[in-house]
């Protein structure tokens, strides 16, 4: 028996509802919009939010790229890519410049995005204040009042304890000079790529049932202090495979003796250079 | 005593019930700039409820609280949008809790606790924040070396002084205090009251102080309002009320104080 699914797995009514929510999210950059997250054929935390967003916006003409920590060939990326191939029949790719739709977990591609592309982020925790204020009702009020002193308190404490703002990933940003927004757990190193990006950036949090968006050419400013400016870390070691210095690296243990190599986390970028 | 300037806060006919229990019954009062008003009475008389209604944390069933800084009572606590009320609470007004742990962020260092209001007001220079934190630690007589310690490592008296520093750093013109000394032992209380008296006169703040301790009222307050079962039954200059109480309940309250 063959089972036929609707194009992109979700039914049209659900996709329409998600697209309406995305329109609202685009209209209020960085503001989290609740949505009726559906059960998806994979566990929470594996990208259920990102998959729903991708399913809602993908069309037959799209060319899809899926990355997980920058890589096109890890389990999560491979299985989501093959899921959409079978559920839509669209062409998939690993080339950043060729893709019209990129679903990502925890990285922004090194190759600069261009106008017309859509970047879909998988978001585990959409609320940037969540570890600082446990009451959702209170975080909603804080957003409404644009009161983000709690996050500055965290930055103050980091400088006090570590001598610098030691937030390596999920670095808090202000979108469009208004909403404090979580960039999802991308490295702080990637945050400047969000600022004035020509691509549309969509964020889906399946378990937390929230969507948000950053429209193209929108200001995305990391929080910092004037005397402790935003200063993301990256290794100065070149990539052991392609020699790139500026790209973001993974540190990989290569044998039982504990030897390590730094390798570009973006496999497409690294492959293009070799 | 003559408080010549116009009042900065007036409450008119505040009434508030919790179900069948009438916690406030037609309470009216005024606060003038720079004065300390003590609200005294036994447990359950409605002191803290009144304080919270004045502060805007509890909505009364009837009556209103008006306030303003320049002699014009042009704003009403009950009608204020939530955002403005919060802004007021974090800058021009302050609230000191009985238990400092209700106000302090226990997972944030002492310095961070002190400067939170400055960051809320938009200060974005770490060096300046550190300087202000050190300044206020000294002002409330805490060793500046403790700036990076967590409040949980502080004694009760130090935590209470930390709460004072954290509140006064924004130079509020009106301070609400709910039994600020009740959690402290007697020897610590004396030092704390002394500090409080100096800060209040130095900062030219008005204070509404809730206490069941008449000695605290006598030491700090210029005026006293005595509450019983949700009503203010007697009000006047502190020494006058405490030395020559008119209302039978005040007489009972004064006479029941243990001689030192």
């Amino acid at each position: 028996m063959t089972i036929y699914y609707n194009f992109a797995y979700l039914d049209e009514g659900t996709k329409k509802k998600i697209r309406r929510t995305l329109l609202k999210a685009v209209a209020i950059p960085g503001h989290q919009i609740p949505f009726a997250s559906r059960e998806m054929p994979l566990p929470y935390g594996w990208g259920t939010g990102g998959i729903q967003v991708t399913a809602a916006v993908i069309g037959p003409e799209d060319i899809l790229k899926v990355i997980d920590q920058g890589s096109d060939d890890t389990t999560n990326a491979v299985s989501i890519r093959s899921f959409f191939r079978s559920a839509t029949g669209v062409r998939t790719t690993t080339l950043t410049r060729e893709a019209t739709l990129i679903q990502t977990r925890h990285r922004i591609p090194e190759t600069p995005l261009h106008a017309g592309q859509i970047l879909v982020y998988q978001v585990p925790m959409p609320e940037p204040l969540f570890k600082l204020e446990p009451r959702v009702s209170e975080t909603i009020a804080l957003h409404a009042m644009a009161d983000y002193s709690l996050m500055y308190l965290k930055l103050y404490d980091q400088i006090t304890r570590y001598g610098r703002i030691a937030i390596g990933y999920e670095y808090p940003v202000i979108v469009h000079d208004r909403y404090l927004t979580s960039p999802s757990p991308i490295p702080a190193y990637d945050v400047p790529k969000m600022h004035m990006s020509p691509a549309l950036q969509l964020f889906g949090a399946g378990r937390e049932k929230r969507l948000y968006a950053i429209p193209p050419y929108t200001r995305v400013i990391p929080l910092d202090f004037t005397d402790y400016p935003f200063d993301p870390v990256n290794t100065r070691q070149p990539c052991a495979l392609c020699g790139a210095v500026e790209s973001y690296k993974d540190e990989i243990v290569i044998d039982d003796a504990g030897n390590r190599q730094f390798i570009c986390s973006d496999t497409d970028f690294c492959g293009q250079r070799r | 005593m003559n408080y010549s300037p116009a009042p900065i806060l007036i409450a008119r006919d505040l009434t508030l019930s919790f179900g069948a229990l009438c916690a406030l019954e037609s309470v009216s009062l005024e606060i003038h700039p720079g004065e300390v008003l003590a609200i005294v009475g036994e447990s359950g008389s409605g002191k803290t409820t009144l304080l919270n209604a004045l502060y805007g944390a509890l909505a009364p069933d009837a009556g209103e609280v008006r306030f303003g800084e320049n002699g014009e009572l042009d704003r009403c606590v009950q009608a204020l949008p939530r955002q403005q009320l919060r802004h007021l609470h974090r800058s021009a007004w302050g609230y000191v809790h009985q238990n400092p742990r209700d106000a302090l962020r226990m997972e944030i260092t002492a310095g961070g606790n002190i400067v939170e209001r400055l960051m809320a007001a938009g200060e974005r220079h770490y060096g300046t924040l550190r300087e202000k934190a050190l300044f206020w630690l000294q002002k409330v007589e805490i060793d500046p070396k403790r700036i990076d310690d967590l409040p949980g490592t502080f004694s009760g008296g130090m935590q209470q002084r930390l709460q004072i520093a954290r509140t006064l750093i924004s130079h509020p013109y009106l301070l609400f205090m709910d039994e600020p000394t009740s959690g402290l032992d007697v020897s610590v209380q004396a030092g704390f009251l002394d500090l409080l008296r100096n800060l209040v006169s130095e900062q030219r703040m008005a204070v509404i102080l809730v206490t069941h301790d008449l000695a605290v009222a006598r030491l700090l307050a210029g005026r006293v309002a005595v509450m019983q079962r949700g009503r203010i039954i007697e009000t006047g200059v502190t020494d006058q009320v405490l030395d020559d109480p008119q209302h039978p309940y005040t007489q009972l309250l004064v006479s029941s104080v243990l001689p030192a």
Side-chain angles (χ1 to χ4, degrees), chain A residues 238-274:
Chain A
C239 171
L241 299 180
C242 75
V245 177
E246 288 307 312
S247 65
Y248 193 76
K249 315 292 189 313
D250 289 333
E251 185 177 11
I252 296 169
V253 180
I254 51 172
D255 58 26
D256 289 347
N259 288 312
R260 285 144 203 270
Q261 264 186 350
F262 285 96
I263 294 171
C264 290
S265 97
D266 185 335
T267 51
D268 167 53
F269 175 81
C270 194
Q272 298 294 314
R273 288 173 49 88
R274 280 185 271 150

Side-chain angles (χ1 to χ4, degrees), chain A residues 101-116:
Chain A
L101 187 59
I102 303 171
Q103 180 171 331
T104 176
R105 174 172 180 265
H106 305 359
R107 272 311 308 276
I108 297 175
E110 302 287 354
T111 309
L113 300 178
H114 55 78

Side-chain angles (χ1 to χ4, degrees), chain A residues 153 156-157, chain B residues 100 103-119 133 147 149-152 162-163 165-167 169:
Chain A
L153 204 53
Y156 171 95
D157 226 45
Chain B
L104 296 173
R105 299 191 186 279
M106 303 306 285
E107 72 292 352
I108 299 283
T109 57
N113 266 286
I114 292 178
V115 298
E116 185 179 350
R117 278 174 169 235
L118 295 182
M119 288 192 275
I147 184 168
D149 292 349
L150 293 176
L162 192 59
Q163 188 189 181
R166 168 188 163 84
T167 311
I169 194 163

Side-chain angles (χ1 to χ4, degrees), chain A residues 132-133 137-138 141-142 144-147 149-150 152-154 156-157 159-161 224-228, chain B residues 82-83 86 90 105 107-109 111-113 115-116 119-120 123-127 129-130 133 147-148 150:
Chain A
L132 305 167
E133 171 52 68
S137 57
E138 182 68 11
L142 291 174
M145 296 185 277
D147 182 346
S149 51
L150 260 181
Y152 279 100
L153 204 53
K154 177 180 173 178
Y156 171 95
D157 226 45
I159 298 171
T160 303
R161 284 171 201 235
D224 59 6
F225 287 108
T226 49
D227 49 344
Y228 284 84
Chain B
R82 198 171 155 191
Q83 189 164 2
R86 185 181 176 88
R90 302 193 73 172
R105 299 191 186 279
E107 72 292 352
I108 299 283
T109 57
N113 266 286
V115 298
E116 185 179 350
M119 288 192 275
E123 179 57 58
R124 297 289 179 259
H125 191 278
Y126 180 80
L129 292 168
R130 292 293 280 186
I147 184 168
D148 295 334
L150 293 176

Side-chain angles (χ1 to χ4, degrees), chain B:
Chain B
M1 263 167 112
N2 179 24
Y3 298 104
S4 50
I8 50 171
L9 180 139
I10 287 187
R12 280 194 207 104
D13 299 322
L14 292 179
T15 299
L16 175 60
S17 303
F18 298 116
L21 180 82
C22 189
L24 295 178
E25 208 178 329
S26 199
V27 174
S28 299
L29 56 77
E30 295 186 356
I31 307 291
H32 298 262
E35 80 161 333
V36 178
L37 170 72
I39 301 170
V40 302
E42 63 186 16
S43 293
S45 60
K47 306 185 296 287
T48 299
T49 302
L50 174 59
L51 193 74
N52 287 329
L54 295 172
Y55 184 66
L58 272 179
D61 301 329
E64 62 168 10
V65 181
R66 302 195 69 84
F67 68 100
E69 245 183 305
N70 311 316
E72 285 174 59
L73 300 168
D74 49 355
R75 296 203 280 168
C76 172
V77 171
Q78 283 70 38
L80 217 54
R82 198 171 155 191
Q83 189 164 2
Q84 286 181 33
L85 185 66
R86 185 181 176 88
H87 184 253
L88 184 73
H89 285 168
R90 302 193 73 172
S91 54
W93 288 9
Y95 193 110
V96 175
H97 293 259
Q98 175 173 4
N99 183 352
R101 284 165 181 265
D102 290 344
L104 296 173
R105 299 191 186 279
M106 303 306 285
E107 72 292 352
I108 299 283
T109 57
N113 266 286
I114 292 178
V115 298
E116 185 179 350
R117 278 174 169 235
L118 295 182
M119 288 192 275
E123 179 57 58
R124 297 289 179 259
H125 191 278
Y126 180 80
T128 308
L129 292 168
R130 292 293 280 186
E131 266 173 45
K132 293 265 169 85
L134 287 167
F135 175 81
W136 275 94
L137 275 175
Q138 280 164 316
K139 227 166 165 50
V140 297
E141 295 161 16
I142 297 176
D143 183 352
K145 285 197 207 97
R146 304 293 303 268
I147 184 168
D148 295 334
D149 292 349
L150 293 176
T153 66
F154 286 17
S155 70
M158 284 166 74
Q159 286 180 5
Q160 198 56 291
R161 278 178 279 154
L162 192 59
Q163 188 189 181
I164 296 284
R166 168 188 163 84
T167 311
L168 296 197
I169 194 163
S170 66
H171 300 288
Y173 69 82
L174 179 57
L175 194 61
F176 297 75
M177 290 192 173
D178 186 13
E179 307 268 16
T181 58
S182 307
L184 308 177
D185 71 52
V186 181
S187 61
V188 178
Q189 260 188 32
F192 180 75
L193 286 170
D194 201 37
L195 174 80
L196 212 52
R197 199 167 49 167
N198 290 336
L199 286 174
V200 164
S201 66
E202 181 192 303
Q203 305 283 322
R204 298 282 304 145
M205 283 179 297
V207 180
I208 305 174
L209 168 75
V210 160
T211 180
H212 65 266
D213 188 338
L214 295 184
V216 170
R218 197 188 277 277
L219 202 60
L220 287 177
R223 276 198 310 138
V224 170
V226 184
M227 285 192 79
Q228 183 194 25
R229 286 191 225 108
R231 290 168 170 276
I232 291 184
I233 50 157
E234 184 167 0
T235 178
V237 175
T238 306
D239 289 342
Q240 192 183 321
V241 171
L242 297 185
D243 292 343
D244 185 18
Q246 300 299 305
H247 192 280
Y249 175 73
T250 315
Q251 291 168 356
L252 181 74
L253 206 62
V254 171
S255 66
S256 62
V257 172
L258 295 173

